[in-house]
Amino acid sequence: MNAVSATDADAATLGTVLGTLETVILGKPEQIRLCLACLLARGHLLIEDVPGVGKTTLAHALAHVLGLAWQRVQFTSDLLPADIIGVSIFDRASQRFNFRQGPIFTQLLLADEVNRASPRTQSALLEAMEERQVSADGTTYPLPEPFFVVATQNPHEQLGTFALPESQLDRFLMRVRLGYPDAAHERELLRGGERRELLSRIAPALSAAAVLRVQRAVRAMHVADALLDYTQALIARTRERSDLKLGLSPRAGQGLLRAAQAWAYLAARPAVLPEDVQAVLPAVVAHRLERRDPAGAGDGDALGREIIRAVPVPP
Amino acid sequence: MAAAPSADSEPLQPLAWACAAFAGGALLNLDRVPAWTAATTLLLIAWRLTTERSRARLPGSVARALLALAVVAVVLLRFHTLNGLAAGTALLMLMSALKLLETRARRDQFVLVGAGLFLLLSACLDRQSLVRVPLYALQAWLSCSALAVVASAGFGGRAALRLAGRALLFALPLAVLLFLFFPRLPGAFWALQRGGEAQTGLSDTMSPGSIAKLVASYDPAFRVQFAGRAPPAEELYWRGPVLHEFDGHTWRRTSGAFHPRQRLQYLGTPYRYRVALEPTRLRWWFALDTPAQSPDASVLLTYDNQLLGTEPLTQPISFDAVSYTRTRALEPLGALARQQDTTLPPGANPRSAALAQTLRQRADSDADFVQATLGYLHTGGFEYTLTPEPLGADPVDDFLFNTRAGFCGHYASAFVALMRAASVPARVVTGYLGGEWNPIGGYFVVRQSDAHAWAEVWLQGRGWTRIDPTAVVAPERLRRGVFDLLPDALSAPERLLRASAWLTRALQRWDAANAWWSDHVVKFDYSAQLDLLGRLGIRSPDVRYLGWAFVLALFGWLAIIAWHIGRSARPASPDTLARAYARLCHKLERIGPPRAPHQGPLSFAETVTAQRPELRGSVHALLARYAQLRYGPAAPAATRTRDVEAFRRAVARLSLSRAAGG
């Protein structure tokens, strides 16, 4: 099996993947493309929205269509780290401890309502996300490849939730909001019945191996010096602005560039263009930038657009 | 726990720079303020820098207020005023030093730098010699660099020095323009009270040894440039205070005496010359022997041929005069004047009085008596020295009969005393003798070391006649300076300077530069400005027009600077590809919507083709080509150059028409 480079077939298949996803989540092609780009850039994804707009459905659909093994964990306040990572159990027969792997040992983990878990549990999950491995009883267990976390959270639910701190939010490459569908798609939604039934009928378009191939191709996407100049100017802009609590971290900058590479790959371009950076920037900075003055208008996406407008593309 | 407000967050560098700028200003005023003021200031600066390092606490507001009050009290006690240059400078220096106690934020550091600049200004008010100019320039540079460092934390010392140097160079033409054309007010603008400062030069008293003290100073007293031929060296007697009253020890000017000036017949060559006086803080204006008339309305030509100003000389000044070295009185000496100039303290110096009477009896006339007295001095074994032994209770007797060694003051004093003892009217004249010819500047420089005293005797039929008893004892003194006669009078380094011809020449050059500076820069006043404007063809300058011309020049220069700064701020010259792209965008903007600065090539292509779908083929392809060239994988250099050139030509060829329905 040729695992070194992505073939044209892989690129063509991605078109099919997008098409399939659009039949499940109606009227959100932009968000779907962002989610896919996020995963292809080896990034974890945070979907934030009110209940019932299809967060979980989208996550399911992604796992299905990419042909990945997936697990779902519903986060609650009494969820323990061991419930995710796994436990060591004493086996009488062999007179020793056996590690029973938790749900995290999968290729796509859907962490529902991640902000409802205690900080301890959140932290265990986020550590695994960064390290791509799990340590238990002094033994290190690598997680499968590829490994994604798609987490969802409800921003309006305040009671009994633990908001993720900035350091942990930084580990998600993108934050995507779905939002309500427009009238035409809502009508179609109402007419079409339960969307989750569709999920079972989705045929996997890719495989784990193909996903890894595409990821490698994304990382090889050409980035010109001129584009690095522009990206740096954008990052610098977030640090210059005095009305922001924090500028983008170097990790965020790396993520921005990788996401832009994935976006350019999805657009079948030979190289990354400023337009690609602009396309992913709002989603990449949305959960990282925060105004000092909370009353300031606009959410994270609006901030991202402000920054794009403030930085000219050099000729 | 609350963090300390400043110590943690603020680096030492801006504070150190601000302190340096302030210390520089303080050092420039070192010679004006008392030593303890400067010491306190410098100590406070050092203390503040160490507290910054050790993060110690600064004193509270009550302590600071008490300290400020104490400083005001101390300055008042010392100067009896807060006004005036010395007191004002001391107060400014101490108060700014106290500001260090509350220097926390950037604003306070600006105040410190401002104090440094203000101290520079106060130093410039009356210390304007050429040698200080580099110091002032350095202080301006240091302060401006400190401003740069304080203003933006990221500035390194080197970058700040570069920036400030460049800014000052830019400002230089403006400063020259301001200097030349800014409307000057006639008269003394700075009516400053200058109290408690040392006076230099001759005073209006003379006691044994007082001139010898002056001779140790190498400072120039004035410079003289003759319009025509200069008098011979033995005629270069520069008249200063003329002394009449003698108490047996000290000669004084008569206070309040007023006699009408005698009519004189001037003999010999008239000498026309210009004198540039250094500020002495005294009222005498020095002129060659007998000036014919007063050079200035504010100067009185007295009955004893002295020039006496109404105000002490606080600034360098120049005047033109005409003098004669030989005169004849056309009127007899008045009784009052005769009495004044024949009076001796009763009972003092009996032996010299006896000597004078003996000599007078032997002589036929006053003139013979003068010659006899000079002969006595010539043959009496007298010695010319700068370091005579101290004299006793009857100084003239002691000098004539015991020590027989002295300086010009001793001889003049003894000679006049002898004259008076024989009832011959005589007076002591103090001033300067000779001067050093500066071949570079074409002038004589007369130094404090040329200070001299001689005598004037009233002779029947001739009037007041100059007699220099020193010349009899040390005839060389007439032709050469004191230092040639008495090399011991010089300090070792000065001797060394004079020993080398090359160094002498260098010193003369330096003195000529000083003279030029003083004549053309320091003394550039209202009338000199009118002269300059006249030479430029502006005959009757209206101050308003001058103001307008100045404003125009100012804005013109600022525009040039702004253009220059703007040019350096622009990005480095764009490459061919960028220029071609800019040209393409420009062409497209003429027929459609403008490109937003943040728009990339592809999204701009979308914007354009949304309005002009028929351009999809040409424009879209061109913009995609640009994107490929700019952001695509790098091609080999030769290929790339060719592709860029092709793109440029394609852009040049592109002709777009305004669509009717666009």
Side-chain angles (χ1 to χ4, degrees), chain A residues 222-227 230 269-275 278 308-315, chain B residues 574-575 578-579 581-582 595 597-604 626-628 630-634:
Chain A
H222 179 74
V223 174
D225 284 343
L227 189 93
Y230 176 62
R269 285 198 236 284
V272 186
L273 294 189
E275 281 85 343
Q278 292 176 357
I308 290 171
R309 272 198 298 276
V311 179
V313 176
Chain B
D575 54 14
R579 274 200 303 272
Y581 177 58
R595 181 178 82 95
H598 68 270
Q599 255 183 331
L602 286 197
S603 56
F604 184 46
Y626 165 75
Q628 165 67 26
R630 176 58 81 204
Y631 299 104

Side-chain angles (χ1 to χ4, degrees), chain A residues 261-280:
Chain A
Q261 283 176 309
W263 189 269
Y265 184 86
L266 284 177
R269 285 198 236 284
V272 186
L273 294 189
E275 281 85 343
D276 300 320
V277 182
Q278 292 176 357
V280 295

Side-chain angles (χ1 to χ4, degrees), chain B residues 243-260:
Chain B
L243 313 178
H244 301 273
E245 272 184 23
F246 187 47
D247 64 359
H249 182 263
T250 302
W251 289 87
R252 287 195 173 77
R253 273 187 64 72
T254 315
S255 52
F258 181 80
H259 306 279

Side-chain angles (χ1 to χ4, degrees), chain B residues 105-123:
Chain B
R106 184 190 290 186
R107 195 179 62 91
D108 305 319
Q109 294 167 358
F110 278 126
V111 171
L112 269 188
V113 180
L117 282 169
F118 210 94
L119 285 169
L120 168 64
L121 190 70
S122 104

Side-chain angles (χ1 to χ4, degrees), chain B residues 187-370:
Chain B
F189 189 64
W190 303 101
L192 285 168
Q193 192 185 333
R194 297 162 204 259
E197 291 180 49
Q199 299 170 336
T200 55
L202 289 170
S203 68
D204 56 355
T205 65
M206 186 187 82
S207 45
S210 67
I211 290 187
K213 253 183 271 165
L214 260 186
V215 164
S217 158
Y218 201 60
D219 293 338
F222 52 93
R223 297 181 178 85
V224 187
Q225 199 157 21
F226 284 95
R229 204 168 53 83
E234 62 266 27
E235 294 279 295
L236 286 174
Y237 281 86
W238 307 101
R239 184 186 295 265
V242 181
L243 313 178
H244 301 273
E245 272 184 23
F246 187 47
D247 64 359
H249 182 263
T250 302
W251 289 87
R252 287 195 173 77
R253 273 187 64 72
T254 315
S255 52
F258 181 80
H259 306 279
R261 187 169 184 245
Q262 288 169 312
R263 282 195 300 121
L264 294 174
Q265 184 187 3
Y266 299 113
L267 305 171
T269 334
Y271 294 109
R272 287 165 205 288
Y273 56 95
R274 162 173 284 232
V275 179
L277 288 173
E278 295 291 320
T280 54
R281 297 169 222 289
L282 293 170
R283 287 170 61 200
W284 334 122
W285 290 31
F286 295 95
L288 189 64
D289 204 3
T290 310
Q293 60 195 26
S294 164
D296 193 290
S298 68
V299 178
L300 179 72
L301 179 57
T302 62
Y303 70 98
D304 43 13
N305 296 325
Q306 239 183 285
L307 293 176
L308 196 58
T310 45
E311 296 285 327
L313 275 176
T314 53
Q315 280 169 348
I317 197 165
S318 294
F319 65 92
D320 293 306
V322 181
S323 281
Y324 294 84
T325 52
R326 284 163 56 213
T327 56
R328 191 203 318 255
L330 296 176
E331 291 170 306
L333 188 63
L336 267 176
R338 173 178 291 273
Q339 195 206 339
Q340 175 189 299
D341 286 332
T342 49
T343 306
L344 281 175
N349 302 311
R351 290 181 68 190
S352 48
L355 172 71
Q357 267 137 28
T358 320
L359 286 174
R360 179 67 188 88
Q361 276 157 16
R362 281 192 218 147
D364 295 336
S365 64
D366 286 353
D368 278 352
F369 168 56
V370 167

